[in-house]
Amino acid sequence: MALPVLSVAICSSVCFGTYRNSLHFLCQFRHGSSALKPSRLDVFVAGCAAGTVEAMVFAPIDLIKIRQQNQTHPHQPFQGQSSHGLLTMPKYRGPIHCLITILKEEGTLGLYRGITALWLRDIPCFGLYFVAYSVFSEQLTPQGQHKPGWLHADYHCGILKTWKYFTNQIFELVKGFS
């Protein structure tokens, strides 16, 4: 259970860090200053960059999770007690063993199998997510303040995450078959 929790924390920090740095770079490059308010295009492009990098970090973690969930073919048979006959063992004994096996059998690029499906899902979704986040933040920010209160931010984050969850389900289905 520790791997999913840690992977979400790592992926979220990479995603938001990439978004922030990309937005800073785009504003600096296009407008000459990062102090100016970014355009919707800047926010979208920075969100797409965040989705690209997040998928590259998340792909190996997701592949390991999927491989362990889909273990239907035994790796090697062994003889159990005579009353049980031929028993089979799963190919992967845990996430670390799965990682090592993939690296041995498929190489480093094997960890990125299925990344195209992740990119097709994450690049546009993260771009739209950050644009929607930016719009909601502007609408929920009281006059005279620079940022919305934490309660407003939590509320619209929850709405956006729910929307993202439901729109991504078709890609999750396709990804499971790849």
Side-chain angles (χ1 to χ4, degrees):
M1 193 63 183
L3 184 64
V5 172
L6 291 174
S7 65
V8 168
I10 291 168
C11 289
S12 291
S13 66
V14 166
C15 175
F16 285 99
T18 302
Y19 168 74
R20 201 76 195 126
N21 289 330
S22 298
L23 190 60
H24 176 77
F25 172 78
L26 285 169
C27 288
Q28 192 77 15
F29 181 74
R30 292 185 68 214
H31 309 294
S33 172
S34 61
L36 297 174
K37 180 182 172 195
S39 68
R40 299 275 189 256
L41 179 62
D42 294 337
V43 172
F44 179 77
V45 172
C48 289
T52 303
V53 174
E54 190 266 349
M56 293 176 72
V57 171
F58 190 67
I61 298 166
D62 201 43
L63 179 72
I64 290 169
K65 178 193 76 166
I66 289 171
R67 292 270 178 103
Q68 287 189 293
Q69 288 174 341
N70 291 334
Q71 289 190 84
T72 56
H73 303 292
H75 178 57
Q76 53 180 303
F78 70 93
Q79 293 291 333
Q81 296 175 353
S82 60
S83 63
H84 291 107
L86 189 62
L87 301 175
T88 59
M89 291 176 47
K91 182 174 182 177
Y92 309 113
R93 294 186 300 265
I96 303 298
H97 181 255
C98 184
L99 172 69
I100 292 168
T101 304
I102 292 170
L103 287 172
K104 282 181 183 176
E105 293 178 358
E106 302 174 42
T108 305
L109 290 178
L111 291 172
Y112 292 95
R113 185 174 177 171
I115 196 168
T116 306
L118 283 174
W119 277 338
L120 287 172
R121 177 191 75 181
D122 287 348
I123 293 173
C125 283
F126 273 91
L128 292 173
Y129 172 80
F130 281 108
V131 168
Y133 180 84
S134 174
V135 168
F136 283 146
S137 291
E138 288 174 10
Q139 291 178 351
L140 294 173
T141 302
Q143 290 292 335
Q145 288 186 0
H146 183 62
K147 295 180 181 179
W150 67 270
L151 186 58
H152 290 107
D154 282 351
Y155 174 73
H156 73 266
C157 259
I159 290 172
L160 290 172
K161 285 291 187 180
T162 303
W163 169 75
K164 186 177 173 236
Y165 172 79
F166 285 113
T167 58
N168 284 343
Q169 288 310 303
I170 187 69
F171 292 105
E172 287 294 324
L173 181 66
V174 170
K175 189 177 63 168
F177 290 115
S178 62

